[in-house]
Each structure stands twice: as C-alpha cells, then as structure tokens.
Amino acid sequence: MFDSKLSFLILLLLLPLSSSSTSSSSPQAIESLVKRLDTQRPSPLLQESAAKALLKRLLPTHLSSFQFKLISKDACGGYSCFWITNYQNSSNKSPEIMIQGTTAVEIASGLHWYLKYLCGAHVSWDKTGGIQIASIPPPGSLPPVKEHGIMIQRPVPWNYYQNVVTSSYSYVWWDWERWEKEIDWMALQGINLPLAFTGQESIWQKVFMDFNISAQDLNNFFGGPAFLAWARMGNLHAWGGPLSQNWLDQQLVLQKQILSRMIELGMTPVLPSFSGNVPEALREIFPSANITRLGDWNTVDKNPRWCCTYLLDPSDPLFIQIGEAFIKKQIKEYGDVTDIYNCDTFNENSPPTSDPAYISSLGSAVYEAMSKADKNAVWLMQGWLFYSDSSFWKPPQMKALLHSVPFGKMIVLDLFAEVKPIWESSSQFYGTPYVWCMLHNFGGNIEMYGVLDTLASGPIVARVSENSTMVGVGMCMEGIEHNPVVYELMPEMAFRKNKVHVEEWLKVYSRRRYGKTVKQAAEAWEILHQSIYNCSDGIADHNTDYIVKFPDWDPSLDNYLSFSKQSLITKHINRRHVLSEVKSTLPQPHLWYSIHDSINALKLFIEAGKDLSGSLTYRYDLVDLTRQVLSKFANKVYIDAITAFQHKDAKALKFHSQKFEELIIDIDELLAADDNFLLGTWLESAKNLALNSHEKQQYEWNARTQVTMWYDTTRTNQSQLHDYANKFWSGLLVDYYLPRASMYFKHLYESLRENKKFEVVEWRKEWISYSNKWQQGTKVYPVKAEGDALEISKLLFKKYLE
C-alpha cells in the first residue's frame, strides 16, 4: 500500500477528475455522429465479456475480484465515462470492486485507473519494461474506493491512435499474439479511435483486378512489407516488393482478427479509403482518364523503377468509381464496422494549382467517393500538410479544402500540436472539428525526449479556448515502444478536464513504475522532467546523433569555426518558438538540455540500483538513460576527431576516432544486456512470418534495409533517407555503425599520413558496398539479453563520465 504522503499526491491528481460537471460544446453534427456510432456497438454482454477477457490476460489472479458492467451515458451525465465503486454486499467469494463504463474501452480504462492510482501498478509495452503488478494486493485485500466511488468523464469524445506510417515502422512483422497485446494496451489507455490499416493490399488486389489490372501489374505497384506505408501514399512503388499471395492472405486474416477485437471492446476503427494512388497500367486501360505522373520522392537519381508514381485526379469520374468500389469491398470483407475513413491525398503532394475553387472540387470528389459507398462516411485527414507544406496551404487554400465537405463530415488530426499547433493559427481549422495530437517520434528512433508540460496543458488550453472545435486527443507517433512516461501521460489527457501538475504526477509515476519509492529514482525523475522531458526549442526531434546518423561530408572543405556553432537558433515571438536556420555544413544533433543534468540523473539512477536491480522497468530506464548520455558524449568525441583532422594532427585524430569507435562497442555491450534493445528481435520477427525460403530472404532484407539505408543507392551515393529509421540496437551498432565510422576515420587518417586530399567518394564506395552486403546478409543475432545491465552501466559511467 502507498504511504500517506504519496496518497495525498494521488488525491491531488484525482481531485480535478471526480466532478461530474464536465462541460463541453461538441458541434451538433459531431454529437449526431457519436450517437450513431454508439448505436452500432456490440451488445453489453459481448463488451463486458471482452473486458473480462482482457482482465484475464492482464491479471488472471484477480479475475473474480472485479465486476464489470456497461452503463448508458445518461448514468454519466451524458458523457462517456467510467465509474469505479466498491462492490455491494461483498463476501469472501464475491467481487471487491465494481467498474462500470459506457463501453468496454471505458471499463478497461477504469480498471487501469484503479490499478494505477489505488494499487500503485504500472502498465507499459513489453519492450519498455512491461508491467509492474507486484504492488497490487492479493485477492480479498484490494483497497476500497471512497463512498460514492470515482466517476471520470471524457471531456471530448475521442482518443485517437496511430500514424499512417506506424504500420511500417512498428507493426509490420507482428502476428496476432503481439496485436492482441497492443489492443489490450490501447483499451487500458482509453483509445477508442484507432487506425486499422493492416491487410489493405488484399482489398486493393480485389478492387484493381475488377478494373482489369493484372497481378503482375500490382507487383510493380505494391511496396515490400517494410515499405507499404509509403507505397500506399504514392511516395514510391515496388521498393522491397513484390508482395506474395501468402503475405496478402495472411494480412487479411490478421486484419479481420484486429477489427473483431477492436469492435468487441467498443472501439471505432478508422479504415483506409482511396487517395488517388493507382498502378501505371490503369493509364492503358483507361487512356482518357486524368492520370498524372508525380515527381520524385527521395530517390538518389530519380530512378523510375521506384519513383514517380501515378495519381488519378479526384475530378475524374473514375476516381469516384474506384473509391466507391474500395469501400464497398471493405464492407463486404469486414462488415459495416465504421463510418470513419482516412484519406491523405495531398500528403507531401501539392495539388496542381492553388486555385481555391479547384481545391474545393478535389475535396468534394474525395468525399463523394466515400459517401457513395457509405452515406454516413466521415473523412478523417492528417493535418500534416498544413505544417510540412505551409507555403502552399495559405488560409484560402486551407478553407477551400476544409469546407469542401458538409460540416461534421471531416475531422482533422492536428498532427504536431505539441510543437506546432495549427489550430491556433487557423481559427480552429476554420470551424472544422479536429483532434489535438502528439507526433513526438520520427522513424521509430530511440531517443529519450518529450514535452511533458505541454502534454499536460496543451489539450486543455485547446479545448477551453474560444469557439473550440476540438473533439479529441491523439497520439500520431511514427514509431512506438520507447519513452513510456510520454505514452502514459498523453492518453491520460483524454480523461483530464484540468491541467496536470507534472511534478506531482511524476512522483506517483516513479513509485508505480518501479513498485516502490526509491529516493534516488524520484530525484532522477525530477531532473529528467526539467531537462530531457522539457524540450521547448520548437525543433522536431529526430535522432541524428553521430553514432546512428554518421555525417556524409568532407571536413576538409570547411573549418571548425563554421560548424561548431549551433545550427539552429531559437527566436521568441509572441511566447512561441519560431525557428531560424543558420547554414552549416555539418549536421548538428539535437540537444535541448544540459548534458550535466542528464549525467546527474544517470548517477542517481545507478545509485537506485541497490534497491531496484530486479525490476525490469528500472533496467529498461537505466539502459536507455545510459545509452542517451553516452551517445551525446560521443557527439563531442566525434567533433574532437574532426577538429584534429582539420588541424592536421594525425595523433589526436587517431586517439579521438578510436575513442569514438570504443564508445560504439561499449554501448552495444550495454544494449545487449536488455532484451528490449536487440536487433535480433526485429529480424527474427520478420523471418517468422515467412512461409518459404524466398519470403524469408525478402522479409529479412526489408527489415535490415528499413533501419539502415532505407532507400536506393548508387555506387557513390547513399540513400537520401539513410538512417532515417536508425535504431540503438545491439548488433546494429557493432556490425553496421562501427564499420562505417572505422572506414571513414581510416580514410581521414590516411589522407593526413600520406599528405593527400581526403576523398569522401572513396569512403562512400567502400561503405555503400559494405552496406549492400550487410542488407543482404543472413547472420543470426541474439534475441535474449546477456550481461548485467547495472554493472555495465556503472563501469561505463566510471570510464567515461566520472
């Protein structure tokens, strides 16, 4: 049980939530949509059974300790809610706690809330340490709630989840066992509006064949398994493919399992719709159709084998025919499971003209393709385009697109609201309902990073702002299974009507995550809150530390003074951060906090090991923080090596370059001591989906390529996307990042020793050749940890930081 001081902190956290007077002003059209979706949910019995099954998977020892019951919104003051009370007439054999909710998701959220704030438990992804349930009292001894219970309402209808590329960066190799765990996690976090993109290629195969497109044509259209997200968006075609019929059939079966479970729990899945991306062969079958070939997207030399896909103009009648056919085919396969469909026709792809009338007609056509198949269709659109292509999407163009469909028939994801909220500068998306989203992660990179204070206040500020059209909160990260503190606080904001006091919240979080109060761990989290998890420079965080994104440049063409300064300067305008670029030859890794602070936090974490060495959640955090500190330290060592080269000091270059390489080896050993930082897990999960040797080889190549070179190369040019999806994984460091650095420093050293020009092209040739062979390799990497993470962390701290 918690001590009295911690119980007081929990009371502070819960007080703003106990009131039943939550106010919200959802537009009438959205209220009608919510009511319609409510009527389509499974029966109370089915949802209660689904929630009970989740409890059995999570906490089988306490299956009889809880009673679940579905209730109407009327019982919750007209809102979605969960209500935790003591079970009446409790006896030794009867349940102890009653959890009621408006859907099974609300029941699961109530269960999670009870376990967190009354039992001190913690639930995170397996790959971020898993669950901590040792603090939960045994059956018969669960702590009671206050007399009238705890009722917590949703201030906004939806809690959205996923980015359109998460399916490739994180989910691509998942089987049903892993998906089942994820859907359980989603329900516990209160997620009720998840993207459901798995298996859509099987639907597209059926649709396009009805339009006389052959299987061979589709081989050149679909991307490989690890690159499907970008093939779906029309960024590329064929890269990593073709897709086997086995893959298509497997993924369709998996999607039906995913949808079935989501629906049982009362979620509303978001299905894909037609964005205009079509196979090249469609031009020959429909020669009069308005089909345009798009420009290049990140190939090295505009290679048409991979680039320059084809877009069917939404104004063409064929667009509506194909769009209608696709949604009808989904309904035939899955049943009538949703009215909400995602479409991002203009994602990183501007319309051919900025004429508002034309843009409005395009938007109308996109929606018509949905609504002809589903009269109640609602278009859910990522708002990324308004940030990434802001020079095109000025107010007239934004209004034209947003107002091209009936009000309430479009919902926008304010995708990057924690850093660049569009709702503020667009008058609430000009009256269009939107979801306040956190993007947070790019490429599934592993980096400790967050904006906790913004997460704890941003959704509240948006919801209570004048004329607010906010209808939900969401998480739109490109990759998952990192930064568990961020992914616990953010979904909790779906149930918060007031701002969270992060400092107090973190004290409870630390206790729950490790199962006990440890002074050093709590103090470390205080530091992390004010440093690593308090980024306020307005920069999108993408891990570009030199170990994992080694610079491809010639340092002899520049001098130290020109790149040693910060390449990004932050200006403060109207209390918001606006970036001003300063040109620099050498890419600058993102550093938004004091290195000294992170070292102090690590020292405290190591000291906490005497009390927490057996905790898996502690071990994950220890390894992650040690990795982070050493990675930033390695950036300085790299600069020292480059400075030595520019000063023509061969001895110093050799010293610092060897130190950089030694850091890579040492960090790899550290990562090898935790199951969650292993390359082998990623590769084996890919191979495990294969049904024959050819698929096994193809899937492994896809898996290796995505996390390294990503896209195409030439003999002398790396992929433009190399290291976009970099990972700090044991095996990847010593067998990929280490040889790259060693080759580079070898060429630098030889140029000084032999007094000749450094030839960066020669390094590229050697490195790209190595990378190609590694991507095609079949070396088996461990899937189980080896070594003592705490002892390794202690040794590395003493070696490099003390």
Side-chain angles (χ1 to χ4, degrees):
M1 296 294 289
F2 281 4
D3 57 40
S4 58
K5 185 177 180 181
L6 202 63
S7 297
F8 176 71
L9 292 178
I10 293 173
L11 179 62
L12 287 177
L13 291 169
L14 291 176
L15 276 176
L17 296 151
S18 301
S19 171
S20 60
S21 60
T22 305
S23 62
S24 180
S25 55
S26 299
Q28 187 174 354
I30 294 299
E31 290 179 358
S32 298
L33 169 61
V34 171
K35 287 179 180 178
R36 187 172 67 251
L37 293 173
D38 285 344
T39 64
Q40 297 172 358
R41 301 196 199 285
S43 68
L45 180 61
L46 183 58
Q47 291 190 65
E48 290 165 4
S49 297
K52 204 72 173 178
L54 186 158
L55 172 61
K56 185 177 181 179
R57 291 187 292 272
L58 175 69
L59 200 61
T61 54
H62 289 66
L63 190 59
S64 62
S65 298
F66 295 91
Q67 181 74 24
F68 296 155
K69 183 181 179 182
L70 226 67
I71 54 175
S72 70
K73 287 184 178 178
D74 290 340
C76 300
Y79 297 91
S80 295
C81 83
F82 58 79
W83 188 9
I84 310 170
T85 58
N86 300 316
Y87 190 81
Q88 299 301 314
N89 302 319
S90 181
S91 66
N92 290 336
K93 295 185 178 180
S94 67
E96 300 168 76
I97 299 296
M98 167 72 82
I99 301 178
Q100 301 174 85
T102 45
T103 72
V105 168
E106 269 72 33
I107 292 174
S109 302
L111 171 66
H112 189 206
W113 202 273
Y114 177 82
L115 295 178
K116 285 201 298 186
Y117 289 119
L118 280 92
C119 299
H122 172 75
V123 177
S124 68
W125 291 299
D126 285 353
K127 286 202 72 174
T128 56
I131 62 175
Q132 185 288 110
I133 56 176
S135 61
I136 301 176
S141 302
L142 292 180
V145 298
K146 61 184 181 180
E147 183 180 356
H148 299 294
I150 301 171
M151 177 181 285
I152 297 181
Q153 304 159 322
R154 288 187 188 267
V156 285
W158 288 304
N159 190 353
Y160 175 81
Y161 184 54
Q162 293 181 38
N163 187 298
V164 294
V165 303
T166 320
S167 56
S168 290
Y169 283 133
S170 294
Y171 308 152
V172 54
W173 310 121
W174 286 6
D175 55 14
W176 170 242
E177 181 182 0
R178 179 60 187 87
W179 261 110
E180 185 174 51
K181 288 185 177 182
E182 186 71 5
I183 298 171
D184 284 352
W185 179 89
M186 288 160 52
L188 292 165
Q189 304 294 342
I191 292 161
N192 59 2
L193 191 66
L195 209 58
F197 266 29
T198 301
Q200 63 178 279
E201 283 68 30
S202 182
I203 305 294
W204 279 121
Q205 181 188 53
K206 300 174 193 295
V207 170
F208 280 131
M209 284 186 168
D210 287 344
F211 284 84
N212 298 317
I213 301 292
S214 70
Q216 184 61 38
D217 293 327
L218 292 176
N219 283 343
N220 190 46
F221 177 62
F222 296 139
F227 303 97
L228 286 176
W230 300 276
R232 292 165 181 169
M233 290 187 287
N235 299 133
L236 54 81
H237 66 99
W239 180 250
L243 294 179
S244 69
Q245 193 61 45
N246 286 337
W247 173 273
L248 294 169
D249 295 342
Q250 280 178 323
Q251 294 296 297
L252 182 61
V253 170
L254 183 58
Q255 170 75 335
K256 290 179 178 180
Q257 291 175 296
I258 292 167
L259 288 174
S260 177
R261 181 59 54 81
M262 287 178 174
I263 292 161
E264 287 175 5
L265 288 165
M267 299 177 185
T268 299
V270 178
L271 291 177
S273 62
F274 182 48
S275 65
N277 183 31
V278 295
E280 180 181 5
L282 199 71
R283 290 196 309 172
E284 300 171 8
I285 299 170
F286 297 94
S288 61
N290 186 1
I291 298 175
T292 305
R293 188 159 203 187
L294 300 177
D296 178 52
W297 184 84
N298 287 311
T299 61
V300 172
D301 56 1
K302 297 180 172 58
N303 188 340
R305 186 179 177 188
W306 321 118
C307 89
C308 314
T309 57
Y310 293 86
L311 183 71
L312 175 61
D313 195 289
S315 64
D316 194 292
L318 186 59
F319 185 100
I320 295 174
Q321 292 178 42
I322 295 176
E324 179 184 5
F326 179 70
I327 288 182
K328 283 185 173 178
K329 193 72 73 173
Q330 286 188 121
I331 293 172
K332 181 180 178 181
E333 286 286 344
Y334 310 141
D336 188 7
V337 298
T338 191
D339 290 328
I340 303 183
Y341 302 92
N342 169 261
C343 183
D344 296 304
T345 297
F346 310 115
N347 186 46
E348 300 186 12
N349 167 36
S350 300
T353 173
S354 61
D355 177 27
Y358 178 76
I359 292 172
S360 181
S361 69
L362 295 186
S364 296
V366 170
Y367 178 70
E368 186 178 353
M370 299 178 192
S371 60
K372 286 198 74 172
D374 182 347
K375 66 179 182 180
N376 297 316
V378 174
W379 178 3
L380 184 136
M381 180 181 71
Q382 291 194 148
W384 179 248
L385 70 170
F386 302 133
Y387 166 78
S388 65
D389 198 7
S390 58
S391 60
F392 178 90
W393 294 100
K394 302 297 185 183
Q397 289 73 34
M398 285 184 68
K399 290 178 184 177
L401 180 58
L402 295 171
H403 295 167
S404 64
V405 303
F407 182 80
K409 296 296 185 180
M410 176 185 282
I411 299 172
V412 181
L413 301 177
D414 198 352
L415 207 73
F416 204 14
E418 85 275 27
V419 173
K420 184 63 177 178
I422 303 299
W423 70 268
E424 288 185 344
S425 58
S426 65
S427 301
Q428 308 275 352
F429 288 95
Y430 304 107
T432 303
Y434 74 94
V435 177
W436 194 102
C437 294
M438 174 192 77
L439 178 53
H440 185 254
N441 177 268
F442 293 88
N445 295 161
I446 297 173
E447 170 141 78
M448 294 178 72
Y449 159 82
V451 289
L452 294 185
D453 289 341
T454 300
L455 300 184
S457 61
I460 311 301
V461 172
R463 180 174 57 81
V464 302
S465 62
E466 187 177 2
N467 300 318
S468 177
T469 57
M470 176 180 158
V471 294
V473 299
M475 297 183 288
C476 298
M477 61 288 119
E478 289 191 353
I480 64 168
E481 298 179 319
H482 51 79
N483 290 286
V485 65
V486 172
Y487 293 89
E488 179 147 343
L489 178 59
M490 185 63 227
E492 198 172 289
M493 297 311 296
F495 295 100
R496 295 279 186 181
K497 71 166 188 165
N498 293 335
K499 297 178 183 179
V500 172
H501 302 286
V502 178
E503 185 176 350
E504 305 302 327
W505 186 88
L506 280 172
K507 290 177 182 177
V508 178
Y509 173 84
S510 174
R511 167 73 182 257
R512 291 189 297 101
R513 180 150 172 83
Y514 309 129
K516 63 174 76 170
T517 295
V518 175
K519 180 175 178 287
Q520 295 92 333
E523 291 175 355
W525 273 107
E526 288 180 16
I527 296 172
L528 294 175
H529 171 213
Q530 298 301 332
S531 55
I532 286 176
Y533 288 108
N534 187 34
C535 183
S536 59
D537 59 15
I539 298 174
D541 184 67
H542 197 154
N543 195 335
T544 54
D545 286 349
Y546 295 137
I547 287 177
V548 292
K549 192 172 175 64
F550 198 80
D552 183 341
W553 77 308
D554 184 349
S556 62
L557 299 179
D558 209 339
N559 60 64
Y560 179 68
L561 290 178
S562 67
F563 68 76
S564 64
K565 298 175 182 178
Q566 266 191 297
S567 64
L568 289 165
I569 297 177
T570 304
K571 295 181 178 179
H572 296 272
I573 302 177
N574 295 329
R575 294 190 301 174
R576 292 215 58 78
H577 298 291
V578 179
L579 297 184
S580 174
E581 291 282 354
V582 177
K583 291 184 179 179
S584 172
T585 305
L586 178 67
Q588 299 287 315
H590 187 197
L591 184 61
W592 62 98
Y593 58 90
S594 162
I595 291 289
H596 181 71
D597 286 345
S598 62
I599 292 174
N600 285 340
L602 176 57
K603 184 178 180 181
L604 287 166
F605 253 101
I606 291 172
E607 291 173 2
K610 62 181 179 292
D611 296 308
L612 297 174
S613 60
S615 165
L616 295 180
T617 46
Y618 164 77
R619 188 178 73 181
Y620 174 88
D621 291 346
L622 173 69
V623 170
D624 203 21
L625 182 56
T626 308
R627 170 209 58 75
Q628 179 109 349
V629 171
L630 292 179
S631 178
K632 301 304 179 187
F633 178 69
N635 292 338
K636 179 185 179 300
V637 175
Y638 171 87
I639 293 295
D640 290 342
I642 296 301
T643 304
F645 169 78
Q646 293 184 334
H647 291 164
K648 301 187 184 304
D649 187 339
K651 183 178 180 180
L653 169 62
K654 190 169 187 178
F655 173 81
H656 293 302
S657 61
Q658 287 179 346
K659 189 173 185 180
F660 186 84
E661 294 167 20
E662 190 174 359
L663 272 161
I664 296 177
I665 295 169
D666 285 343
I667 295 173
D668 190 275
E669 182 184 6
L670 168 76
L671 299 174
D674 189 282
D675 290 337
N676 306 301
F677 295 93
L678 304 179
L679 170 64
T681 306
W682 172 255
L683 298 182
E684 292 306 311
S685 63
K687 291 185 284 185
N688 287 342
L689 287 187
L691 297 182
N692 55 54
S693 59
H694 175 75
E695 289 177 354
K696 185 176 181 180
Q697 182 180 18
Q698 180 192 14
Y699 296 175
E700 182 166 9
W701 182 90
N702 269 253
R704 286 170 175 253
T705 297
Q706 189 206 84
V707 299
T708 54
M709 201 60 81
W710 208 108
Y711 208 8
D712 67 327
T713 63
T714 63
R715 185 165 171 262
T716 56
N717 287 287
Q718 293 194 77
S719 160
Q720 291 194 44
L721 295 174
H722 72 87
D723 301 309
Y724 182 91
N726 66 67
K727 301 290 188 295
F728 269 96
W729 284 341
S730 176
L732 193 59
L733 268 72
V734 290
D735 280 1
Y736 192 81
Y737 299 142
L738 177 61
R740 176 171 61 184
S742 298
M743 292 174 196
Y744 185 84
F745 288 130
K746 179 192 70 175
H747 283 274
L748 285 183
Y749 184 74
E750 288 177 355
S751 74
L752 291 184
R753 190 185 62 186
E754 299 174 14
N755 196 26
K756 65 179 183 180
K757 184 178 183 296
F758 170 65
E759 297 288 350
V760 69
V761 172
E762 294 304 312
W763 165 71
R764 287 176 185 152
K765 288 178 183 177
E766 183 180 3
W767 165 241
I768 293 168
S769 173
Y770 178 94
S771 179
N772 288 338
K773 292 175 183 176
W774 188 89
Q775 290 165 245
Q776 295 165 2
T778 58
K779 177 180 175 179
V780 176
Y781 289 87
V783 295
K784 291 295 182 183
E786 293 183 5
D788 186 323
L790 179 57
E791 289 305 312
I792 294 171
S793 181
K794 287 179 180 178
L795 290 171
L796 295 182
F797 189 94
K798 184 176 182 180
K799 180 176 181 179
Y800 293 108
L801 306 171
E802 198 161 55

